[in-house]
Amino acid sequence: MTQDVFQRHRGLLFTVAYEMLGSVADAEDVVQDTWLRWSADDRSDVAEPKAYLVRIATRLALNRLRTLRTRRETYVGPWLPEPLLTGPDAAGGVELAEDVSMAMLVVMETLTPIERAVFVLREVFGFPYTEIAAALERGEPAVRQVAHRAREHVQARRPRFDTDPEQRRAVTERFLRATAEGDLAALMEVLAPDVVMVNDTGGKARAARRPVIGADNVGRFLCGLVARGEMEGYRFEYAELNGAPGVVGWLGGRLDVAAIVETENGRVARLLAFRNPDRLTGVNRVPLRPAGMADIDTPDAGRPETETFR
């Protein structure tokens, strides 16, 4: 019975922790630690198991978030929230809240730990202030003030990217085709004038360590990769990442890169590329098989529908 109750809320606990931390591995650790606390506690007077479990997970995630901030200070290059494979076929039935995209996670990185906890619990999941106050061990009036401050902060910084999946996918296809062909003219047509490209590598892969800004700079940077042969041997597939169309790239049968293309008015406004293998665990939650790699014996069952870009 104890395990059944926990398993019923496991997906919620992971999602709360992930959206507070922006890290898949750390979110999974929080879920595991929550289980250990839950299984060891005296639950005879627990009337609402869901609220009780979320309270434990929130406190654990909040403590870990403070530790993560110290870790990020020594991280090589830009730090982005980790991408997560989503959709009905994602492992563990992970489903992010509809309004928490990668763009929103990036904005939430600018909140203080307590603001982020309150924002996630209140604005994303709609928990009542009384439960949030209990989870954070703060008075309800103070929590309401934090929620108001966090909400205003996010609204002021929230980007207005396109939300239509089909439109984003069409733009992504045009962008990938132009990139693969090293066609600068085609890239200039699909890139927004003020496009930003950010690479999260942690110093473990060759890439620009600072954001590349502007259509001309991004276009020439990508065409340079093609001209130098640095994209040879890659195979790309579409996959749903953080609830939106994304791209995964395979090199020699190994997942090497994941990318999210964010569009505005039908053009690429921001490109987020992830190449630190330690931060791709959320994309490797189920075995994706790269197109053209029939020699790899990976079953199709349980993998998200993807489409090869050629």
Side-chain angles (χ1 to χ4, degrees):
M1 180 66 70
T2 297
Q3 189 168 5
D4 290 343
V5 172
F6 180 83
Q7 289 297 334
R8 188 157 59 245
H9 301 297
R10 186 185 185 95
L12 171 65
L13 298 175
F14 172 83
T15 308
V16 168
Y18 169 71
E19 292 176 5
M20 282 184 61
L21 300 171
S23 166
V24 174
D26 286 290
E28 290 174 338
D29 286 345
V30 165
V31 172
Q32 180 62 26
D33 290 344
T34 300
W35 159 250
L36 294 176
R37 296 279 185 91
W38 166 258
S39 60
D41 284 354
D42 177 8
R43 300 177 304 280
S44 58
D45 60 345
V46 175
E48 296 290 341
K50 175 182 174 181
Y52 187 83
L53 286 167
V54 169
R55 186 182 309 169
I56 296 174
T58 298
R59 291 174 182 173
L60 291 170
L62 194 56
N63 290 336
R64 191 170 288 256
L65 182 57
R66 296 184 176 113
T67 302
L68 278 176
R69 293 211 159 197
T70 302
R71 190 192 310 171
R72 293 171 193 177
E73 292 176 0
T74 59
Y75 193 76
V76 179
W79 171 294
L80 293 171
E82 294 179 22
L84 179 65
L85 189 70
T86 52
D89 295 321
V94 174
E95 291 288 345
L96 292 186
E98 291 183 0
D99 58 348
V100 181
S101 61
M102 176 58 68
M104 177 63 80
L105 288 173
V106 170
V107 172
M108 287 198 294
E109 290 287 325
T110 65
L111 296 173
T112 66
I114 194 69
E115 286 174 343
R116 186 163 183 170
V118 172
F119 185 86
V120 168
L121 293 176
R122 178 62 186 176
E123 300 300 321
V124 178
F125 292 101
F127 281 97
Y129 286 111
T130 52
E131 290 186 14
I132 299 174
L136 300 178
E137 299 180 304
R138 294 196 173 202
E140 186 176 333
V143 169
R144 288 180 178 273
Q145 289 181 354
V146 172
H148 177 73
R149 186 168 64 246
R151 185 165 51 248
E152 287 193 334
H153 182 100
V154 169
Q155 289 177 348
R157 292 163 178 78
R158 186 174 186 174
R160 303 301 176 187
F161 294 129
D162 297 331
T163 58
D164 181 83
E166 293 304 319
Q167 181 187 38
R168 291 183 63 176
R169 180 168 177 141
V171 174
T172 300
E173 182 175 349
R174 289 173 54 206
F175 167 75
L176 283 176
R177 193 173 303 281
T179 300
E181 296 174 356
D183 188 337
L184 181 59
L187 275 172
M188 295 301 290
E189 290 182 1
V190 75
L191 295 174
D194 55 351
V195 61
V196 177
M197 177 179 180
V198 182
N199 293 282
D200 182 335
T201 70
K204 298 184 178 182
R206 289 188 59 188
R209 291 190 178 182
R210 295 183 179 180
V212 183
I213 302 173
D216 187 66
N217 290 330
V218 172
R220 292 185 184 281
F221 177 84
L222 294 172
C223 287
L225 295 179
V226 176
R228 293 191 298 272
E230 295 186 32
M231 294 186 68
E232 290 183 4
Y234 275 91
R235 306 295 294 181
F236 294 98
E237 288 186 334
Y238 292 104
E240 183 181 304
L241 301 177
N242 293 80
V247 180
V248 292
W250 301 85
L251 183 63
R254 176 180 61 85
L255 179 63
D256 184 77
V257 61
I260 294 177
V261 180
E262 296 173 327
T263 68
E264 184 176 4
N265 298 323
R267 304 180 85 176
V268 177
R270 185 164 66 179
L271 175 64
L272 305 178
F274 308 85
R275 293 198 61 199
N276 182 344
D278 298 336
R279 310 197 73 224
L280 289 174
T281 56
V283 183
N284 265 331
R285 289 171 68 85
V286 297
L288 289 166
R289 182 174 63 204
M293 301 299 295
D295 55 313
I296 297 179
D297 186 19
T298 305
D300 287 338
R303 64 186 288 263
E305 292 185 1
T306 56
E307 179 178 320
T308 306
F309 173 77
R310 300 181 184 277

